[in-house]
Amino acid sequence: MTLKNRFTLISSLSFGIVSIITFVVIFFAYYDSTKIAYFDRLRNTALISAIYYLEKDELPKDRHAQIKKEYHHLIENSQVAVYDQKNQVTFGQNLGDKNIKPYHLKIARSNKSVQFLVENNFYYGIFYKDNQGDFVVFAKASSGSFNSQMIRLSIIMLAVLIMGLLAIYFLSRYLSKIIYKPISNIVERINNVEYNDISQAITSTNTDDELEELIKSYNKLFGRISESILLQQNFINYVSHEFKTPLAAISGNLEVFAQKDRTPEEYREVVKESLENVYEIENILNNLLLMSGLTKLEKSHKQVRVDELIWKIYEKLNSKAQEKQISITINLKVTKPALLEFPGNETLLYLALYNIVENAIKYSGPSPISVTMLEENQQLQIEIKDQGKGIAPDDLKKITETFYRGKNVDNIKGSGIGLSLSKSIFDHHDVMMKISSVVGKGTTVLLTFPTISKVLTKL
């Protein structure tokens, strides 16, 4: 069922249910009020009849004649019965009415009045005390007129209900077209988006309503999907390019090496070069696998000593730095030891910091590198600073994108994964990474760890 039909059905049913409840309440309210009005008229008739029949001997003749003249039509048209103390009809035209039972007369004498509706007739009786004795006066009237009013009211209400349902149905159909027209336009625009360009944004309605939120959500969602597709395309290009180089080196060395016998030294050299290329491919694959599963990692965080991670990285990379005649200086300027303890994934944090320090060694040249741990506004900060090539402003905007490498990397080996992987790991731990660089003067990476209160709140 479409939204238009559902809206029409719900609105029609809602109107129908509310109308039926309203009409039922109105009908019974009118029924009760009309019945009360009928009984009131019968009560007046019974009282006038009592005066007419029982006060004849006490009223002046002219006054009695006047009452007879004024209420003759009422007395004559209504069937009246006046019962004495022996329950015998002494006055009136309603003789031998089987619907008036002795217990009705008893109730009238004890309660001063009685009323009931039976066999399409209204009855009202009053107790009247006279000098001639105690009497019960009953007035009777047919309920035909009352029933006719109720039937007419029912017909009118039913007709109004049917016309109202028809009106609300067609009105709902019309309104549904107006209400859902923007949605239809959005669906049409989505269907017209080409697969090759799903990142194309849908024009905003500028209505500041739910549809506007829907369009924003769509644009945001398909923007991410487009980025994912672009990432996959870059991955294919990257795999075909990055894997091709070490594989070609391995196959080329083996082909050349197989052409003639070699010395043991030459064997060792080829094996060494082949292993380096294999290790490079393995490292790239491990990083890719880690990136693909980073968002699925469970929050199995534990307390990590950040300064110990820095020293482990120093011990691991210092030999490589010395080969390039680069010195690494570790500076500790933290006065509160508690800031050096951080809840996180030790392996991931080690890898992220390792990649940044390794990049500094790659691109620093023979210049020194400093790693400084300091505190700022009750937060731990780590500053990794080199004096190498630097990064151009255009490259700096994209440097954390996966597979992206700067234009001035020359022949330095790299996959374009390390920095983006570090960025993802730091984002996972709410660590803010800021990169500043000047071409020819070096690059500074500043890491700002979250406050302890923020970490505890997240946990």
Side-chain angles (χ1 to χ4, degrees), residues 162-213:
I162 293 173
M163 288 188 294
L165 286 174
L166 291 175
I168 198 65
Y169 173 80
F170 289 110
L171 181 61
S172 299
R173 295 287 295 180
Y174 174 73
L175 291 177
S176 64
K177 292 181 180 179
I178 297 176
I179 294 172
Y180 292 104
K181 186 176 180 180
I183 298 179
S184 301
N185 293 336
I186 293 174
V187 172
E188 183 179 357
R189 278 184 276 178
I190 292 175
N191 291 332
N192 290 334
V193 173
E194 296 182 2
Y195 173 76
N196 295 330
D197 190 21
I198 62 172
S199 63
Q200 180 182 354
I202 296 180
T203 306
S204 173
T205 57
N206 295 321
T207 54
D208 195 23
D209 55 10
E210 288 81 358
L211 293 180
E212 179 73 13
E213 291 297 323

Side-chain angles (χ1 to χ4, degrees), residues 20 53 211 220 241 279 295 299 308 318 327 372 376 395 402:
I20 289 173
Y53 288 111
L211 293 180
K220 188 181 298 182
H241 179 269
Y279 291 152
T295 56
K299 296 181 180 179
E308 292 180 2
N318 189 44
S327 63
T372 305
E376 184 72 25
D395 291 334
T402 309

Side-chain angles (χ1 to χ4, degrees), residues 81 154 199-200 214 217 248 308 329 331 350 370-371 383 393 401:
S154 300
S199 63
Q200 180 182 354
L214 175 62
S217 299
E308 292 180 2
T329 304
N331 301 311
Y350 174 87
S370 65
V371 179
E383 182 186 72
E401 294 180 5

